[in-house]
């Protein structure tokens, strides 16, 4: 399977509140969530799917109600306007890396394989993980490992990488793991390697910047009472989504009008994040860290 959709029913139930509406799945991938949205929509409904990964083209749905856009979701507004589908009734984002991307060795997302340090979701982009590992100054490398991977040993790891690359360039996932594993605490190697690979992937694909742009555009892109559902997999993403849904800005600062009423474009549909059941985690272990948040555009 390309990708087993996470929190499928919870997401679709919370997202689709107009069966004749126009919806956007900005992380189309294997089309799991998209197919379920189309199943729920009437013959008048429409769905637009975004994905920057050309592999997602293989999963395009043969349905007159569906339109595929091969682009990063940071370009949401531009393409919705192009297809005369602006504003929309709902937006869905299932963030992170798909099972397919993890399981394709040549993509370089996993240290389980010894392949080129790539990690590009859009393979037309120039910057790869190898370029970051081999060219970023020590301080810059340590900063991104701490910020995007929450790696406690960021400076130590950055220094180790710097020393190793002076001897010879680090070009593969296996080589990077081989350099790092001896220096990591026993029993925590896999966890810390995952954090390091996560940080590199976020940097390569500018994921946090793209997410912030998506959230900012969603305010105008959603009709009144339109909904946005976002599934995140690490605390950085979830914190940004939580802050934006609550306050309408990335900082999480709630502004109020002259009378003390909160100035926010959203009302929360999920007061707390929805997480997978034990049954879902058992059948799909990659769902373990998923958090779903849903908000509704307030009428002006």
């Amino acid at each position: 399977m390309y990708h087993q959709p996470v929190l499928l029913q919870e997401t679709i139930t919370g997202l689709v509140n107009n069966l004749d509406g126009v919806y956007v799945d900005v992380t189309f991938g294997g089309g799991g969530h998209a197919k379920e949205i189309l199943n729920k929509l009437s013959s008048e409904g429409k769905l637009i799917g975004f994905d920057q990964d050309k592999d997602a083209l293989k999963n395009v749905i043969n349905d007159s109600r569906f339109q595929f856009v091969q682009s990063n979701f940071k370009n949401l507004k531009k393409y919705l306007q192009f297809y005369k589908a602006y504003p929309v009734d709902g937006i869905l984002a299932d963030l992170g890396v798909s099972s397919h991307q993890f399981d394709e060795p040549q993509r370089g997302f996993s240290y389980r394989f010894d392949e080129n340090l790539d990690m590009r979701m859009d393979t037309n982009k120039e910057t790869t993980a190898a370029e970051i590992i081999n060219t970023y100054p020590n301080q810059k490398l340590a900063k991104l490992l701490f910020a995007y991977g929450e790696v406690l040993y960021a400076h130590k790891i950055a220094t180790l990488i710097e020393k190793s690359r002076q001897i010879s360039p680090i070009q593969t996932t296996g080589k990077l793991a081989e350099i790092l594993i001896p220096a990591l605490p026993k029993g925590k190697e896999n966890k810390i390697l995952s954090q390091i690979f996560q940080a590199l992937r976020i940097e390569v694909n500018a994921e946090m910047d793209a997410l912030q742009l998506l959230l900012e555009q969603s305010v105008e892109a959603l009709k009144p009472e339109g909904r946005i559902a976002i599934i995140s997999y690490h605390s950085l993403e979830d914190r940004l989504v939580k802050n934006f849904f609550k306050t309408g800005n990335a900082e999480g600062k709630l502004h109020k009008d002259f009378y003390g009423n909160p100035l926010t474009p959203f009302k929360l549909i999920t007061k707390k994040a929805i997480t997978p059941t034990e049954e879902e985690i058992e059948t799909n272990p990659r769902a373990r860290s998923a958090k779903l948040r849903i908000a509704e555009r307030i009428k002006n």
Side-chain angles (χ1 to χ4, degrees):
M1 178 180 281
Y2 185 100
H3 182 65
Q4 192 171 340
V6 173
L7 292 163
L8 182 60
Q9 293 308 322
E10 296 92 334
T11 301
I12 308 308
T13 300
L15 176 70
V16 180
N17 60 356
N18 177 8
L19 301 187
D20 300 326
V22 179
Y23 288 82
V24 191
D25 179 351
V26 300
T27 49
F28 176 72
H33 287 103
K35 287 170 190 168
E36 198 63 27
I37 292 172
L38 285 170
N39 286 341
K40 190 159 185 178
L41 294 179
S42 72
S43 58
E44 299 300 311
K46 287 185 170 51
L47 175 66
I48 298 171
F50 280 68
D51 206 299
Q52 63 185 330
D53 189 343
K54 64 184 180 183
D55 281 359
L57 280 165
K58 301 169 189 172
N59 306 308
V60 168
I61 302 166
N62 184 18
D63 189 312
S64 60
R65 299 172 297 163
F66 179 73
Q67 174 68 53
F68 181 75
V69 178
Q70 189 181 344
S71 176
N72 187 293
F73 54 63
K74 68 183 180 181
N75 300 314
L76 177 72
K77 181 177 179 180
K78 177 174 75 173
Y79 280 101
L80 290 184
Q81 289 177 328
F82 177 79
Y83 286 107
K84 297 180 171 56
Y86 192 86
V88 297
D89 295 273
I91 298 168
L92 164 65
D94 180 8
L95 304 173
V97 183
S98 72
S99 301
H100 168 77
Q101 289 167 326
F102 265 127
D103 294 337
E104 287 285 300
Q106 68 273 20
R107 303 298 295 272
F109 286 109
S110 174
Y111 54 86
R112 290 184 290 130
F113 314 104
D114 187 16
E115 291 287 343
N116 288 334
L117 271 167
D118 193 322
M119 300 194 195
R120 292 172 299 167
M121 291 183 181
D122 177 356
T123 52
N124 292 317
K125 284 186 66 175
E126 291 183 5
T127 303
T128 65
E131 186 174 336
I132 289 168
I133 283 291
N134 289 293
T135 65
Y136 272 27
N138 185 305
Q139 289 295 323
K140 188 175 181 181
L141 190 56
K143 186 176 178 181
L144 88 86
L145 290 175
F146 183 74
Y148 293 160
E150 298 174 293
V151 179
L152 298 178
Y153 312 94
H155 284 287
K156 179 181 176 182
I157 288 165
T159 300
L160 191 59
I161 289 169
E162 185 180 42
K163 287 179 179 176
S164 182
R165 74 191 185 191
Q166 286 172 352
I167 299 167
S168 64
I170 305 165
Q171 300 291 2
T172 69
T173 55
K175 180 66 175 175
L176 181 59
E178 180 187 312
I179 291 163
L180 297 178
I181 286 173
L184 300 179
K186 297 297 180 194
K188 293 185 178 180
E189 296 93 340
N190 287 340
K191 181 187 177 186
I192 298 171
L193 277 176
S194 295
Q195 291 173 297
I196 292 165
F197 273 63
Q198 171 186 292
L200 290 170
R201 190 200 79 223
I202 290 171
E203 179 75 359
V204 167
N205 298 290
E207 291 177 35
M208 296 303 294
D209 292 340
L211 176 57
Q212 183 161 336
L213 285 169
L214 171 67
L215 289 166
E216 289 168 355
Q217 291 176 72
S218 73
V219 176
E220 288 185 19
L222 282 170
K223 294 177 184 176
E225 298 186 335
R227 292 186 174 185
I228 178 168
I230 298 186
I231 304 169
S232 59
Y233 295 86
H234 58 79
S235 59
L236 291 171
E237 291 173 338
D238 183 57
R239 195 178 306 127
L240 177 55
V241 173
K242 180 181 178 181
N243 285 345
F244 205 94
F245 282 2
K246 280 189 172 181
T247 65
N249 59 71
E251 296 77 31
K253 294 178 181 176
L254 187 62
H255 300 288
K256 297 182 179 182
D257 65 15
F258 180 77
Y259 301 101
N261 300 310
L263 292 170
T264 173
F266 296 111
K267 76 171 183 181
L268 301 178
I269 299 302
T270 54
K271 303 298 181 187
K272 291 173 62 179
I274 297 172
T275 55
T277 62
E278 288 300 321
E279 290 79 9
E280 178 171 4
I281 292 169
E282 195 172 322
T283 58
N284 183 13
R286 284 174 179 163
R288 184 177 299 279
S289 58
K291 289 185 176 180
L292 166 66
R293 295 186 187 272
I294 304 172
E296 184 174 286
R297 185 74 169 91
I298 292 172
K299 287 183 179 179
N300 291 329

